[in-house]
């Protein structure tokens, strides 16, 4: 096993070996180290800010509940305006959603705006209900002081309608150009608050309630200008709300696909709310409803598009609720059947239990798939990811498939980076994106053999829950393992081609050296001997005769060397006798007796196949004569869709211990060079059998 595989295997074994109680106290997240899972209550106690957010949410709910109780007891002539009642939805929903986001480590700026703005709306609603309750009871002075709290609470609606869209969703303004808009918004808010605090006494004829609630800070000198000033501030506030909507639209147009999905739902809800405001008083009720739906849209965006990674518990809650509902329905049907069929209540209960057990597991998978589809969309669908991987594997060549598959995995798992390590002699790694300091390792196994390692970076902006991430990894790993195996096979093929090319060039070098150093010098010596013999032929015949005799011996030596060179390239008997005849010539010398069996036309085989078959038969026969101690053997040559060379003896068989030898390795390599196989095993009834299958091109059959 590769060292990296053993290392990661130990890491995984360490996680799997933790006791169950310890595992329950751990949280495993993709790309992050295992950290203790602190209960939410303890986490809130350790974080004063989160505790403050939860306290604001609880206080807001309490104020809304108290305001509703007071509102229901008001006389009909002291009922507040509908705009006051609209604070009920915003004061109830925004603080709860904001505290929920802060408790789960969301971006604090927008969440704090939701908490503070919603709390102010709750203060506005409770103060208005309490003010009208005191006024209806005759305490107009106390109602006048409560009016200050109601006016202070009005700032919450302004924060939610103007500031929250400006800072959504990342807690920053869209750009520096929006800073003047923020300054104008603050000035308009302060001006509107001051105008309401110093409001002059209204005209009794146009006052909507039985008696005027006094204003201790009233400035009656401004009475002629009060209406115009209030209309101007109302117009400016409405314009700022529209500008806030425009900022969200601009963010949506300039954002990447991930950020667009984060903005889409809040933008839609806020746009409908603004449209209802612009439509006039007749659409006031619809505007109030959509104001309450804005935080719902934000929560939906958080859950569906994993802005803050808090969807694990929601997914499990949906699945558990669906299972409980289904099992409850089955038992309810069983109970009704038991009542209808008296005397069979036990049978009906047993049938209900069996049905619940049968459908539990399939229903769980179906519900989990449905919830995953609803929360993550098609992008996080394991089947869609598998289809993308299959398409990449099918359409991309192996050399480039690794990078393509890594890119698909990075996008499908929504991580910052992916790397694939291939276990091979020249280990290679393909990386897409940034892995970070602590990547998560996933072993890649192909048919039980470790072939590589998949490294995953930390979760990206569009992150998945840990459980869903594990399901995606389980779908992804087999496809990546297939690609890694294909890359290894391609690398092996390339290395084989390189070895063949190297062997060919080495053989050419050897031939050149042998021809130059051996035959070249021999022929030169022979030429010199001939010249000396010619010179001494007349003057010294004995010397010439001796030189000619030496020349004859040199020619025999050269002939032998040439014969050896030719035989090393290709056995001459193959050209003289053919494959079958050459093998029969091999078995004629030595013992034991060997029979040669042939089947098919062996006269028109490719040269490479002929040489490989001859050498395998020769090596097999050598093993029979040296090691087998056999009394007989059979060499069969059978040509069908492939050339099958079989050497079988009746000797003592293969040794029990490990065996290795140059001959066995040579036979396997000769078969592998042609894309074939060579198997060495025990023969039926005793002995050894060597069977090599050599593919033959269709044109030679």
């Amino acid at each position: 096993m590769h060292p990296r595989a053993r290392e990661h295997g130990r890491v995984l074994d360490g996680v799997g070996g933790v006791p169950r109680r310890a595992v329950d106290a751990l949280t495993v997240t993709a790309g992050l180290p295992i950290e203790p899972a602190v209960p939410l209550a303890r986490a809130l106690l350790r974080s004063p800010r989160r505790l403050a957010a939860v306290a604001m949410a609880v206080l807001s709910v309490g104020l809304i509940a108290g305001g509703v109780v007071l509102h229901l007891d008001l006389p009909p002539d002291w009922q507040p305006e509908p705009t006051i009642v609209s604070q009920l939805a915003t004061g109830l929903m925004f603080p709860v959603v904001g505290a929920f986001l802060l408790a789960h480590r969301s971006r604090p700026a927008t969440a704090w705006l939701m908490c503070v703005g919603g709390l102010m709306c709750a203060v506005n609603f409770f103060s208005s209900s309490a003010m009208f309750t005191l006024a209806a009871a005759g305490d107009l002075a106390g109602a006048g002081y409560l009016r200050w709290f109601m006016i202070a609470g009005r700032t919450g609606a302004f924060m939610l309608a103007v500031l929250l869209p400006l800072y959504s969703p990342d807690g920053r303004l869209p750009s520096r150009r929006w800073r003047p808009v923020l300054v104008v918004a603050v000035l308009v808010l302060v001006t509107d608050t001051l105008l309401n605090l110093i409001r002059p006494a209204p005209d009794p004829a146009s006052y909507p309630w039985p008696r005027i609630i006094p204003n201790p800070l009233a400035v009656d000198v401004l009475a002629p200008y009060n209406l115009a000033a209030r209309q101007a501030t109302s117009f400016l506030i409405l314009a700022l709300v529209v500008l806030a909507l425009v900022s969200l639209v601009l963010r949506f147009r300039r954002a990447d696909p991930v950020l667009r999905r984060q903005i889409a739902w809040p933008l839609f809800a806020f746009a409908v709310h603004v449209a209802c405001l612009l439509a006039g008083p007749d659409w006031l009720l619809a505007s109030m409803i959509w104001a309450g739906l804005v935080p719902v849209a934000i929560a939906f965006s958080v859950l569906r598009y994993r802005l803050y990674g808090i969807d694990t518990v929601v997914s499990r809650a949906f699945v558990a609720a669906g299972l409980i509902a289904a099992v409850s329905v089955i038992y309810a049907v069983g109970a009704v059947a038991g009542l209808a069929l008296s005397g069979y209540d036990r049978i009906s209960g047993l049938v209900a239990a069996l049905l619940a057990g049968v459908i539990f597991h399939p229903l769980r998978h179906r519900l989990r798939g449905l919830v995953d589809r609803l929360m993550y969309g098609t992008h996080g669908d394991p089947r869609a990811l598998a289809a993308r991987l299959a398409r990449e594997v099918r359409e991309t060549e192996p050399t480039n498939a690794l990078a393509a598959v890594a890119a698909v995995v990075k996008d499908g798992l929504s991580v910052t980076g992916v790397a694939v390590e291939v276990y091979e002699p020249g280990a290679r790694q393909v990386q897409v994106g940034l892995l970070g300091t602590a990547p998560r390792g996933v072993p890649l196994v192909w048919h039980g053999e470790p072939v590589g390692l998949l490294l995953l970076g930390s979760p990206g902006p569009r992150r998945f829950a840990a459980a869903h991430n594990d399901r995606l990894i389980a779908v992804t790993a087999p496809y990546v393992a297939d690609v890694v195996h294909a890359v290894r096979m391609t690398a092996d093929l390339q290395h084989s081609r390189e070895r063949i090319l190297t062997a060919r060039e080495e053989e050419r070098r050897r031939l050149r050296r042998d021809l130059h150093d051996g035959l070249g010098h021999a022929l030169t010596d022979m030429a010199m001997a001939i010249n000396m013999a010619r010179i001494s032929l007349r003057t010294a015949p004995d010397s010439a005769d001796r030189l000619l005799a030496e020349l004859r011996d040199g020619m025999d030596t050269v002939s032998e060397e040439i014969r050896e060179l030719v035989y090393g390239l290709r056995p001459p008997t193959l050209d003289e006798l053919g494959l079958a005849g050459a093998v029969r010539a091999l078995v004629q010398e030595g013992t034991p007796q060997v029979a040669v069996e042939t089947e098919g036309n062996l006269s028109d085989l490719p040269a490479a196949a002929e040489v490989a078959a001859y050498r395998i038969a020769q090596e097999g026969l050598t093993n029979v004569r040296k090691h087998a101690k056999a009394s007989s053997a059979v060499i069969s040559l059978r040509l069908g869709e492939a050339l099958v060379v079989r050497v079988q003896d009746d000797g003592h068989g293969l040794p029990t211990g490990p065996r290795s030898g140059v001959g066995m390795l040579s036979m396997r390599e000769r078969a592998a060079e042609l894309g074939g196989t060579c198997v060495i095993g025990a023969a039926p009834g005793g002995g050894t059998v060597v069977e090599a299958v050599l593919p033959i091109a269709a044109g030679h059959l």
Side-chain angles (χ1 to χ4, degrees), residues 118-131:
L119 177 60
M120 299 303 293
C121 290
V123 169
N124 178 273
F125 179 74
F126 178 80
S127 300
S128 64
S129 299
M131 181 187 69

Side-chain angles (χ1 to χ4, degrees), residues 2 5 10 19 39 74 99 121 142 145 175 252 279 313 324 335 382 407 503 540 552 556 559 577 593 618 624 627 693:
H2 195 274
R10 289 195 296 269
L74 288 175
C121 290
Y145 289 108
S175 65
F252 182 82
V313 66
I324 292 173
R552 181 71 179 83
D556 292 339
S559 299
L577 306 175
Q593 294 183 352
Q618 184 182 38
V624 170
H627 310 294
V693 179

Side-chain angles (χ1 to χ4, degrees), residues 330-331 333-339 341 344-353:
I330 292 174
Y331 274 100
V333 173
V336 173
L339 293 175
L341 303 174
Y344 295 95
D345 54 337
R346 294 183 179 179
I347 297 178
S348 63
L350 177 61
V351 171

Side-chain angles (χ1 to χ4, degrees), residues 395-437:
E395 296 179 355
T396 311
E397 58 182 359
T399 54
N400 298 324
L402 207 57
V405 167
V408 173
V409 172
K410 175 181 177 295
D411 183 62
L413 297 181
S414 183
V415 292
T416 57
V418 169
V420 182
E421 290 186 359
V422 182
Y423 296 159
E424 57 181 359
R428 59 180 295 195
Q429 183 185 76
V430 174
Q431 181 173 336
V432 178
L434 301 176
L435 290 178
T437 57

Side-chain angles (χ1 to χ4, degrees), residues 19-44:
R20 181 171 181 81
R21 286 179 297 177
V23 172
D24 291 339
L26 296 175
T27 299
V28 182
T29 56
L32 297 176
I34 301 175
E35 299 177 354
V38 182
L40 183 59
R42 189 180 304 172
L44 292 176

Side-chain angles (χ1 to χ4, degrees), residues 54-287:
V54 173
M56 283 192 290
V58 173
L59 179 59
S60 299
V61 174
L63 291 174
I64 292 297
V68 169
V69 172
L70 295 176
H71 183 81
L72 294 177
D73 290 337
L74 288 175
D77 52 353
W78 283 101
Q79 290 290 330
E81 295 178 348
T83 54
I84 301 298
V85 181
S86 66
Q87 306 295 326
L88 185 151
T90 54
L92 182 63
M93 298 299 299
F94 275 99
V96 173
V97 175
F100 178 70
L101 299 181
L102 286 172
H104 290 82
R105 303 182 181 182
S106 72
R107 298 183 179 91
T110 53
W112 278 114
L113 279 174
M114 295 173 70
C115 289
V116 176
L119 177 60
M120 299 303 293
C121 290
V123 169
N124 178 273
F125 179 74
F126 178 80
S127 300
S128 64
S129 299
M131 181 187 69
F132 286 112
T133 299
L134 290 180
D139 188 2
L140 296 178
Y145 289 108
L146 282 176
R147 183 176 176 276
W148 294 350
F149 292 94
M150 186 187 71
I151 294 172
R154 281 170 54 92
T155 59
F158 185 87
M159 294 172 62
L160 298 177
V162 178
L163 300 184
L164 181 61
L166 284 175
Y167 281 93
S168 293
D170 54 4
R172 296 189 297 268
L173 291 173
S175 65
R176 295 181 179 180
R177 298 177 182 178
W178 288 86
R179 290 181 180 177
V181 176
L182 179 62
V183 173
V184 172
V186 173
L187 292 177
V188 170
L189 175 62
V190 173
T191 302
D192 182 72
T193 303
L194 290 176
L195 287 176
N196 279 282
L197 286 175
I198 64 175
R199 185 205 68 180
D203 185 5
S206 59
Y207 198 69
W209 293 285
R211 284 174 289 179
I212 296 177
I213 299 175
N215 180 14
L217 298 178
V219 180
D220 294 331
V221 179
L222 300 177
Y225 314 103
N226 180 61
L227 180 60
R230 290 170 61 84
Q231 289 178 348
T233 55
S234 298
F235 175 79
L236 289 176
I237 290 174
L238 191 60
L240 289 171
V241 171
V242 174
L243 282 176
L245 175 62
V246 171
S247 72
L248 268 181
V249 173
L250 292 177
R251 283 182 188 267
F252 182 82
R253 292 186 59 185
R254 300 170 182 173
D256 56 16
V258 176
L259 191 58
R260 284 191 177 186
R261 287 191 291 269
Q262 297 174 3
I263 296 175
W265 286 98
L267 174 61
F268 172 72
F270 189 66
V272 176
H273 168 66
V274 174
C276 294
L277 283 177
L278 297 176
D282 295 338
W283 292 84
L284 185 59
L285 179 61
S287 174

